[in-house]
């Protein structure tokens, strides 16, 4: 079995390096929702100039996509964060074409890796086009998302989109997920009950219809 890498330790080492250097690189940060943004932002906010991209056409239905987006914006406003926020056009039908052949996959398997790769590729492309130093995502805060998969994909894409560097992270580590729940409760945030895609939505509906 392949040895797991502690990507959160790698992140903390990088932040220590940046803190000593006094350099504040530009980071393009993919974020899927407000709840997942909470702790990642608290950890990295002093080390980067951050631009958020909301490219989440995987989320179904559109009403759910928009609800997460508006809740995200509300949270940013409440905490007084001064951040550039880029919204990508919503196109769930086109997005799902690459996932249809894996419709029967269980969550956490190949369909999810395809989904990660699509959004991370979009983010890397945007980061390179706009001269960012780093690209990263908050998705590893989730207990249901495999941080090993996400970071491996990030490093593969880093080679394609050089000189943009991938920001290692596993934000759920060191009680990150539990701390995020405290912030969610404090700000009375909407906390979604399924990952986002039409397949997880259907699985959620089936589970709660029994």
């Amino acid at each position: 079995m392949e040895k797991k890498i502690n990507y959160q330790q790698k992140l903390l080492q990088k932040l220590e390096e940046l803190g000593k250097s006094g350099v504040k690189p530009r980071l393009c940060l993919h974020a899927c929702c407000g709840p997942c943004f909470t702790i990642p932002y608290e950890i990295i906010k002093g080390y980067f100039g951050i631009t958020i991209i909301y490219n989440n056409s995987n989320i179904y239905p559109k009403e759910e996509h928009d609800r997460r987006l508006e809740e995200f914006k509300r949270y940013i406003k409440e905490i007084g964060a001064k951040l550039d926020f880029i919204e990508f056009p919503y196109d769930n039908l086109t997005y799902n074409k690459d996932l249809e052949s894996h419709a029967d996959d269980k969550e956490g398997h190949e369909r999810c890796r395809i989904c990660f790769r699509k959004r991370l590729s979009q983010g890397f492309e945007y980061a390179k086009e706009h001269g960012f130093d780093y690209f990263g995502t908050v998705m590893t805060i989730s207990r249901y998302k495999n941080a090993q998969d996400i970071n491996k994909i990030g490093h593969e894409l880093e080679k394609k989109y050089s000189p943009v560097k991938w920001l290692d992270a596993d934000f759920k580590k060191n009680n990150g997920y539990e701390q995020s729940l405290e912030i969610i409760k404090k700000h009375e945030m909407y906390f979604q009950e399924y990952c986002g895609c039409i397949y997880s939505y259907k699985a959620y509906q089936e589970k709660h219809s029994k």
Side-chain angles (χ1 to χ4, degrees), residues 7-22:
Y7 287 104
Q8 191 64 3
Q9 184 179 45
K10 289 171 72 69
L11 170 66
L12 296 178
Q13 290 170 346
K14 174 57 66 176
L15 298 184
E16 184 178 3
E17 290 174 13
L18 291 175
K20 290 178 180 178
S21 71

Side-chain angles (χ1 to χ4, degrees), residues 4-208:
K4 290 186 177 181
I5 297 172
N6 189 332
Y7 287 104
Q8 191 64 3
Q9 184 179 45
K10 289 171 72 69
L11 170 66
L12 296 178
Q13 290 170 346
K14 174 57 66 176
L15 298 184
E16 184 178 3
E17 290 174 13
L18 291 175
K20 290 178 180 178
S21 71
V23 175
K24 208 169 185 179
R26 294 179 68 219
L27 169 66
C28 178
L29 182 66
H30 162 260
C32 48
C33 62
C36 288
F37 176 73
T38 51
I39 287 300
Y41 179 63
E42 290 302 312
I43 292 173
I44 67 175
K45 65 182 180 182
Y47 300 91
F48 296 95
I50 300 172
T51 293
I52 299 166
I53 58 166
Y54 190 82
N55 59 315
N56 300 297
S57 285
N58 59 303
I59 299 174
Y60 178 89
K62 187 177 188 301
E63 291 77 14
E64 178 72 17
H65 170 276
D66 293 349
R67 184 177 184 183
R68 296 186 192 189
L69 174 60
E70 293 309 312
E71 189 71 356
F72 192 177
K73 288 181 176 178
R74 179 179 73 83
Y75 174 67
I76 290 172
K77 185 176 181 180
E78 282 190 9
I79 64 174
K82 305 299 182 183
L83 301 164
D84 290 330
F85 195 106
I86 309 299
E87 298 173 33
F88 281 42
Y90 180 78
D91 187 353
N92 184 255
L93 286 176
T94 301
Y95 188 93
N96 284 339
K97 287 180 179 178
D98 292 333
L99 307 181
E100 290 170 352
S101 61
H102 291 271
D104 296 328
D105 287 6
K106 291 183 179 180
E107 192 161 348
H109 291 267
E110 186 59 24
R111 186 183 67 236
C112 292
R113 288 188 283 271
I114 293 170
C115 185
F116 297 154
R117 186 177 293 278
K118 283 175 70 70
R119 283 182 287 164
L120 296 183
S121 294
Q122 290 173 348
F124 257 112
E125 185 174 1
Y126 182 90
K128 183 168 183 176
E129 287 177 355
H130 293 84
F132 284 88
D133 302 297
Y134 284 86
F135 172 70
T137 181
V138 306
M139 288 193 292
T140 58
I141 188 71
S142 172
R143 295 176 301 167
Y144 304 107
K145 291 183 174 62
N146 188 314
Q148 300 295 309
D149 285 346
I150 291 171
N151 282 285
K152 285 178 184 176
I153 292 168
H155 279 287
E156 290 170 9
L157 294 173
E158 179 184 55
K159 297 173 184 176
K160 180 178 179 180
Y161 292 99
S162 179
V164 183
K165 293 182 279 294
W166 169 251
L167 185 66
D168 291 310
D170 187 356
F171 291 113
K172 72 175 73 62
K173 293 278 191 181
N174 306 329
N175 295 315
Y177 177 76
E178 290 74 17
Q179 292 174 55
S180 73
L181 294 179
E182 294 177 10
I183 298 175
I184 292 164
K185 184 177 181 180
K186 177 182 176 182
H187 287 270
E188 299 181 338
M189 298 174 71
Y190 166 62
F191 190 34
Q192 58 271 13
E193 297 186 67
Y194 65 100
C195 178
C197 73
I198 189 171
Y199 307 105
S200 62
Y201 175 71
K202 289 178 178 178
Y204 168 75
Q205 284 190 316
E206 290 172 4
K207 180 179 178 181
H208 289 270

